[in-house]
Amino acid sequence: MKNIPRVNFIYWLLMIIATTTGEIVGNYISRDLELGYKAGSIILVSLFITAIFYQIFYKKSNPLYYWFLIILGNIAGTNVADLICIQLDLGTIYGSLLVVSTLFLILIGIHFLSKSKKPFTEIKVEFLYWLAILTSSTFGTTSGDFLSNDTPLGAAGGTLFLVILLLIFVGLLFLKQISKEVFYWITIVLIHPIGATLGNYISKPQGLDLGNVYTSIFLILLFLTTYFLNKKNNENI
């Protein structure tokens, strides 16, 4: 897809920070602001879809807007996940299965559309890409909450488990056992629950208990600092 920034170590670092930020800000909106899961989901998903159409029809590539969409998608996904698991009472296991099945279908759609030469295919692929980001974010919260709350691993152990799993796939890519495209989506799927478990560990009482507000401010500043330092370094090359 034309508007994806260069995929390298900094890209994945920014993705982890963005997903963690989305998890914490999403919790703040639905819980601390008492907006509720249903209202929060409707508002945030509507904003996300509106922002997607702006991105698709905006002619000039804007990397910072790409990351704005990533964070907004994660905030929306966090609310949708809580709506599915808590308000609809599906729980983290069935909620995760529902969401990951939906994500799988979207990725199949991207795969087949990418090979099509029909009109407006690129627009359809880009829309499905962002829908996959939203769905993977939702899965990140459902599966991250499952690891944090419903297993002995807890938030810290869940984060460590997911990082080890991610490193295994990095090794498989290095050994050329999986393609870059497959690795990209596997990493996207794994990084979202890493953001959820890491966010739970940083912000909640079972971890560092820093709260949603101060953690969100810190992560946003960390993201902007990393982004602009990387941009400056690239300009100096």
Side-chain angles (χ1 to χ4, degrees), residues 26-40 79:
N27 286 334
Y28 176 77
I29 289 174
S30 61
R31 299 174 188 178
D32 294 23
L33 295 182
E34 297 182 352
L35 191 60
Y37 304 126
K38 184 177 181 180
N79 278 259

Side-chain angles (χ1 to χ4, degrees), residues 16-32:
I16 292 174
I17 299 171
T19 54
T20 308
T21 303
E23 171 74 15
I24 295 172
V25 174
N27 286 334
Y28 176 77
I29 289 174
S30 61
R31 299 174 188 178
D32 294 23

Side-chain angles (χ1 to χ4, degrees), residues 24-144:
I24 295 172
V25 174
N27 286 334
Y28 176 77
I29 289 174
S30 61
R31 299 174 188 178
D32 294 23
L33 295 182
E34 297 182 352
L35 191 60
Y37 304 126
K38 184 177 181 180
S41 296
I42 292 172
I43 293 170
L44 290 166
V45 171
S46 298
L47 285 173
F48 182 64
I49 291 175
T50 302
I52 289 173
F53 282 114
Y54 178 79
Q55 165 77 351
I56 289 174
F57 295 106
Y58 186 54
K59 301 301 181 183
K60 185 178 178 181
S61 178
N62 188 335
L64 191 57
Y65 189 78
Y66 171 89
W67 289 111
F68 165 75
L69 270 179
I70 292 289
I71 294 175
L72 181 58
N74 278 274
I75 295 171
T78 298
N79 278 259
V80 173
D82 288 338
L83 173 67
I84 292 171
C85 295
I86 299 173
Q87 191 160 343
L88 298 182
D89 200 25
L90 288 182
T92 55
I93 296 177
Y94 292 114
S96 295
L97 290 173
L98 172 64
V99 176
V100 78
S101 299
T102 304
L103 176 60
F104 183 69
L105 293 174
I106 294 171
L107 294 180
I108 290 175
I110 291 174
H111 176 73
F112 284 106
L113 272 176
S114 298
K115 297 181 178 182
S116 173
K117 295 182 179 180
K118 293 180 179 180
F120 306 110
T121 294
E122 188 175 336
I123 291 175
K124 294 174 185 176
V125 169
E126 188 162 0
F127 182 79
L128 283 180
Y129 171 85
W130 287 114
L131 193 59
I133 291 295
L134 175 64
T135 310
S136 61
S137 171
T138 306
F139 173 72
T141 299
T142 58
S143 58

